[in-house]
Amino acid sequence: MENFDIAAVKLSSAQIAWRVAQDLQDGSYVNLGIGFPEMVAKFQPTGRTITYHTENGVLGFGQAPVEGQEDWDLINAGKKAITINPGASFFHHADSFAMVRGGHLDLAVLGAYQVAQNGDLANWSVGAKGVPAVGGAMDLVHGAKRVAVMTDHVTKKGEPKLLAACTLPLTGVGCVTRVYTSLAVIDVVEGRFVLREKLPGITLAQLQAVTGAELQVDGDIAPLLVPEDL
């Protein structure tokens, strides 16, 4: 096992969000999970039209308002203030989940406590101290056409978050298609983790040492490059 200082090389939350944003498809309908994933909208590439959906009943919201100019009647599911783009719509919570369950979202971007190599996701409970229920995430992971996860590669204790099998309560089974971590970009393909990109400053052996399941290589591994000033 090769040792290295993850904290010295890993991407920041903003850098991970930037990398996720580069893969947003023009014209797509996207739900950004509460918390960390909400940052993705900030880095939407110029020239692409993305329609953002939030479970509490808004389609087509925009960037966060300037501090001090919030309208607290306009919030997302994480209770954060939003702005409204031209053509945006408001609707009942039940209609919002009908959109999710009806397969009308192209992508859901969520955080994670654990991801298994078969695509299982655990992102709502760490045990007795967790939140009381899974909430809308269980609908998103099976209603959206694709599910991407963005997360640190390891826990605060340095334990792998990408595993052979999840040990925490599941949000969804076999639902994750791509994982963006602080060290790499990894696809879930036929029950395997397939490495697509990694930080240039770490070796494959170092990355494998902090991953709880075998990383497969299919073709060239691209360098994971992001702006340094984020």
Side-chain angles (χ1 to χ4, degrees), residues 63-151:
Q63 296 283 352
V66 176
E67 186 174 353
Q69 298 184 16
E70 298 92 344
D71 178 347
W72 291 107
D73 286 328
L74 302 176
I75 60 172
N76 62 18
K79 300 181 181 179
K80 295 183 177 65
I82 57 175
T83 58
I84 299 301
N85 290 332
S89 59
F90 303 88
F91 34 85
H92 192 279
H93 206 162
D95 294 325
S96 177
F97 275 85
M99 294 179 188
V100 174
R101 295 167 183 167
H104 301 290
L105 295 180
D106 295 301
L107 174 68
V109 182
L110 302 172
Y113 294 133
Q114 296 177 337
V115 181
Q117 62 185 353
N118 68 344
D120 290 354
L121 171 65
N123 81 340
W124 71 277
S125 175
V126 292
K129 296 183 180 180
V131 296
V134 64
M138 67 177 183
D139 297 275
L140 286 167
V141 296
H142 293 300
K145 295 173 184 174
R146 292 187 299 115
V147 175
V149 161
M150 51 191 297
T151 181

Side-chain angles (χ1 to χ4, degrees), residues 35 42 44-45 58 68 113 116 142 218 225 230:
K42 178 179 178 181
Q44 177 179 317
V58 187
Y113 294 133
H142 293 300
D218 183 9
L225 302 174
L230 297 179

Side-chain angles (χ1 to χ4, degrees), residues 3 6 48 52 56 93 98 114 121 141 144 163 168 189 191 216:
N3 295 319
I6 291 181
R48 297 185 201 175
Y52 294 107
N56 58 316
H93 206 162
Q114 296 177 337
L121 171 65
V141 296
L163 304 168
L168 295 173
V189 181
Q216 304 288 330

